[in-house]
mmCIF file of all heavy atoms in Angstrom:
data_model
loop_
_atom_site.group_PDB
_atom_site.id
_atom_site.type_symbol
_atom_site.label_atom_id
_atom_site.label_comp_id
_atom_site.label_asym_id
_atom_site.label_seq_id
_atom_site.Cartn_x
_atom_site.Cartn_y
_atom_site.Cartn_z
ATOM 1 N N ARG M 53 5.629 -7.844 9.539
ATOM 2 C CA ARG M 53 5.480 -6.450 9.207
ATOM 3 C C ARG M 53 5.512 -5.557 10.491
ATOM 4 O O ARG M 53 5.133 -6.061 11.596
ATOM 5 C CB ARG M 53 4.075 -6.249 8.532
ATOM 6 C CG ARG M 53 4.221 -6.425 7.073
ATOM 7 C CD ARG M 53 2.830 -6.250 6.428
ATOM 8 N NE ARG M 53 2.026 -7.495 6.650
ATOM 9 C CZ ARG M 53 0.710 -7.468 6.857
ATOM 10 N NH1 ARG M 53 0.094 -6.352 6.963
ATOM 11 N NH2 ARG M 53 0.047 -8.556 7.009
ATOM 12 N N GLY M 118 -15.130 -0.037 0.604
ATOM 13 C CA GLY M 118 -14.124 -1.066 0.480
ATOM 14 C C GLY M 118 -14.398 -2.205 1.421
ATOM 15 O O GLY M 118 -15.157 -2.097 2.355
ATOM 16 N N TYR M 119 -13.710 -3.243 1.227
ATOM 17 C CA TYR M 119 -13.798 -4.378 2.063
ATOM 18 C C TYR M 119 -12.652 -4.462 3.032
ATOM 19 O O TYR M 119 -11.470 -4.494 2.646
ATOM 20 C CB TYR M 119 -13.874 -5.693 1.269
ATOM 21 C CG TYR M 119 -13.743 -6.946 2.028
ATOM 22 C CD1 TYR M 119 -14.772 -7.258 2.958
ATOM 23 C CD2 TYR M 119 -12.702 -7.788 1.952
ATOM 24 C CE1 TYR M 119 -14.681 -8.359 3.711
ATOM 25 C CE2 TYR M 119 -12.559 -8.928 2.728
ATOM 26 C CZ TYR M 119 -13.517 -9.257 3.604
ATOM 27 O OH TYR M 119 -13.373 -10.331 4.356
ATOM 28 N N ASP M 120 -12.947 -4.337 4.330
ATOM 29 C CA ASP M 120 -11.866 -4.404 5.287
ATOM 30 C C ASP M 120 -11.952 -5.714 6.082
ATOM 31 O O ASP M 120 -12.866 -5.886 6.868
ATOM 32 C CB ASP M 120 -12.025 -3.195 6.267
ATOM 33 C CG ASP M 120 -10.974 -3.215 7.368
ATOM 34 O OD1 ASP M 120 -10.104 -4.138 7.323
ATOM 35 O OD2 ASP M 120 -10.913 -2.219 8.105
ATOM 36 N N PRO M 121 -11.055 -6.622 5.846
ATOM 37 C CA PRO M 121 -11.148 -7.991 6.505
ATOM 38 C C PRO M 121 -11.025 -7.900 8.000
ATOM 39 O O PRO M 121 -11.516 -8.783 8.667
ATOM 40 C CB PRO M 121 -9.913 -8.736 5.884
ATOM 41 C CG PRO M 121 -9.004 -7.710 5.341
ATOM 42 C CD PRO M 121 -9.815 -6.524 5.000
ATOM 43 N N PRO M 134 -5.020 -10.936 9.055
ATOM 44 C CA PRO M 134 -6.149 -11.635 8.527
ATOM 45 C C PRO M 134 -5.694 -12.832 7.691
ATOM 46 O O PRO M 134 -6.402 -13.855 7.632
ATOM 47 C CB PRO M 134 -6.836 -10.619 7.697
ATOM 48 C CG PRO M 134 -6.249 -9.283 7.962
ATOM 49 C CD PRO M 134 -4.919 -9.532 8.671
ATOM 50 N N ASP M 135 -4.560 -12.784 7.102
ATOM 51 C CA ASP M 135 -4.095 -13.869 6.328
ATOM 52 C C ASP M 135 -2.996 -14.655 7.007
ATOM 53 O O ASP M 135 -1.975 -14.142 7.369
ATOM 54 C CB ASP M 135 -3.439 -13.325 4.988
ATOM 55 C CG ASP M 135 -4.408 -12.751 4.074
ATOM 56 O OD1 ASP M 135 -5.444 -13.392 3.871
ATOM 57 O OD2 ASP M 135 -4.189 -11.633 3.619
ATOM 58 N N PHE M 145 -1.808 -19.647 -1.169
ATOM 59 C CA PHE M 145 -3.072 -19.043 -1.424
ATOM 60 C C PHE M 145 -3.089 -18.317 -2.805
ATOM 61 O O PHE M 145 -2.096 -17.668 -3.136
ATOM 62 C CB PHE M 145 -3.384 -17.977 -0.365
ATOM 63 C CG PHE M 145 -3.640 -18.561 0.959
ATOM 64 C CD1 PHE M 145 -2.768 -18.306 2.032
ATOM 65 C CD2 PHE M 145 -4.674 -19.493 1.205
ATOM 66 C CE1 PHE M 145 -2.968 -18.900 3.293
ATOM 67 C CE2 PHE M 145 -4.879 -20.043 2.414
ATOM 68 C CZ PHE M 145 -4.002 -19.797 3.491
ATOM 69 N N LEU M 146 -4.154 -18.534 -3.474
ATOM 70 C CA LEU M 146 -4.213 -17.875 -4.813
ATOM 71 C C LEU M 146 -4.423 -16.355 -4.700
ATOM 72 O O LEU M 146 -3.967 -15.603 -5.482
ATOM 73 C CB LEU M 146 -5.338 -18.498 -5.662
ATOM 74 C CG LEU M 146 -5.047 -20.003 -6.010
ATOM 75 C CD1 LEU M 146 -6.168 -20.529 -6.862
ATOM 76 C CD2 LEU M 146 -3.721 -20.043 -6.780
ATOM 77 N N PHE M 147 -5.196 -16.075 -3.718
ATOM 78 C CA PHE M 147 -5.346 -14.604 -3.396
ATOM 79 C C PHE M 147 -5.432 -14.509 -1.954
ATOM 80 O O PHE M 147 -5.822 -15.443 -1.248
ATOM 81 C CB PHE M 147 -6.536 -13.964 -4.161
ATOM 82 C CG PHE M 147 -7.863 -14.544 -3.728
ATOM 83 C CD1 PHE M 147 -8.549 -14.040 -2.655
ATOM 84 C CD2 PHE M 147 -8.406 -15.611 -4.451
ATOM 85 C CE1 PHE M 147 -9.716 -14.618 -2.273
ATOM 86 C CE2 PHE M 147 -9.588 -16.144 -4.016
ATOM 87 C CZ PHE M 147 -10.257 -15.662 -2.911
ATOM 88 N N THR M 148 -5.146 -13.367 -1.418
ATOM 89 C CA THR M 148 -5.186 -13.132 0.022
ATOM 90 C C THR M 148 -6.344 -12.211 0.357
ATOM 91 O O THR M 148 -6.855 -11.409 -0.486
ATOM 92 C CB THR M 148 -3.909 -12.526 0.456
ATOM 93 O OG1 THR M 148 -3.688 -11.265 -0.156
ATOM 94 C CG2 THR M 148 -2.711 -13.410 0.141
ATOM 95 N N MET M 149 -6.753 -12.229 1.615
ATOM 96 C CA MET M 149 -7.791 -11.353 2.051
ATOM 97 C C MET M 149 -7.334 -9.923 1.879
ATOM 98 O O MET M 149 -8.093 -9.000 1.502
ATOM 99 C CB MET M 149 -8.089 -11.597 3.584
ATOM 100 C CG MET M 149 -8.593 -12.970 3.864
ATOM 101 S SD MET M 149 -10.256 -13.223 3.287
ATOM 102 C CE MET M 149 -11.073 -12.815 4.865
ATOM 103 N N ALA M 150 -6.045 -9.726 2.194
ATOM 104 C CA ALA M 150 -5.524 -8.337 2.107
ATOM 105 C C ALA M 150 -5.581 -7.931 0.596
ATOM 106 O O ALA M 150 -5.881 -6.713 0.289
ATOM 107 C CB ALA M 150 -4.131 -8.200 2.651
ATOM 108 N N GLY M 151 -5.239 -8.851 -0.257
ATOM 109 C CA GLY M 151 -5.288 -8.489 -1.687
ATOM 110 C C GLY M 151 -6.715 -8.178 -2.136
ATOM 111 O O GLY M 151 -6.976 -7.280 -2.923
ATOM 112 N N LEU M 152 -7.679 -8.960 -1.560
ATOM 113 C CA LEU M 152 -9.052 -8.690 -1.903
ATOM 114 C C LEU M 152 -9.536 -7.395 -1.457
ATOM 115 O O LEU M 152 -10.167 -6.649 -2.185
ATOM 116 C CB LEU M 152 -9.898 -9.815 -1.204
ATOM 117 C CG LEU M 152 -11.396 -9.920 -1.575
ATOM 118 C CD1 LEU M 152 -11.510 -10.236 -3.092
ATOM 119 C CD2 LEU M 152 -12.087 -10.948 -0.752
ATOM 120 N N ALA M 153 -9.082 -6.985 -0.266
ATOM 121 C CA ALA M 153 -9.393 -5.652 0.282
ATOM 122 C C ALA M 153 -8.837 -4.590 -0.654
ATOM 123 O O ALA M 153 -9.476 -3.570 -0.915
ATOM 124 C CB ALA M 153 -8.866 -5.560 1.661
ATOM 125 N N GLU M 154 -7.627 -4.855 -1.092
ATOM 126 C CA GLU M 154 -6.965 -3.896 -2.037
ATOM 127 C C GLU M 154 -7.851 -3.698 -3.259
ATOM 128 O O GLU M 154 -8.120 -2.630 -3.750
ATOM 129 C CB GLU M 154 -5.608 -4.477 -2.365
ATOM 130 C CG GLU M 154 -4.576 -3.415 -2.773
ATOM 131 C CD GLU M 154 -4.488 -2.263 -1.789
ATOM 132 O OE1 GLU M 154 -4.147 -2.550 -0.608
ATOM 133 O OE2 GLU M 154 -4.705 -1.127 -2.220
ATOM 134 N N GLU M 155 -8.289 -4.875 -3.849
ATOM 135 C CA GLU M 155 -9.056 -4.821 -5.103
ATOM 136 C C GLU M 155 -10.441 -4.142 -4.944
ATOM 137 O O GLU M 155 -10.909 -3.492 -5.874
ATOM 138 C CB GLU M 155 -9.213 -6.191 -5.637
ATOM 139 C CG GLU M 155 -7.979 -6.682 -6.391
ATOM 140 C CD GLU M 155 -8.057 -8.180 -6.676
ATOM 141 O OE1 GLU M 155 -9.180 -8.696 -6.744
ATOM 142 O OE2 GLU M 155 -6.953 -8.763 -6.815
ATOM 143 N N SER M 156 -11.059 -4.410 -3.801
ATOM 144 C CA SER M 156 -12.415 -3.928 -3.652
ATOM 145 C C SER M 156 -12.463 -2.484 -3.115
ATOM 146 O O SER M 156 -13.447 -1.933 -2.905
ATOM 147 C CB SER M 156 -13.242 -4.884 -2.746
ATOM 148 O OG SER M 156 -12.693 -4.777 -1.445
ATOM 149 N N ARG M 157 -11.243 -1.915 -2.852
ATOM 150 C CA ARG M 157 -11.217 -0.608 -2.397
ATOM 151 C C ARG M 157 -11.657 0.364 -3.530
ATOM 152 O O ARG M 157 -11.295 0.230 -4.639
ATOM 153 C CB ARG M 157 -9.782 -0.194 -1.926
ATOM 154 C CG ARG M 157 -9.672 1.099 -1.293
ATOM 155 C CD ARG M 157 -8.386 1.185 -0.448
ATOM 156 N NE ARG M 157 -8.477 0.229 0.628
ATOM 157 C CZ ARG M 157 -7.364 -0.406 1.151
ATOM 158 N NH1 ARG M 157 -6.205 -0.173 0.715
ATOM 159 N NH2 ARG M 157 -7.532 -1.263 2.136
#
Side-chain angles (χ1 to χ4, degrees):
R53 273 178 283 143
Y119 169 65
D120 179 358
D135 292 311
F145 293 116
L146 291 180
F147 62 87
T148 61
M149 299 287 266
L152 189 61
E154 203 53 57
E155 278 166 27
S156 66
R157 188 157 296 151

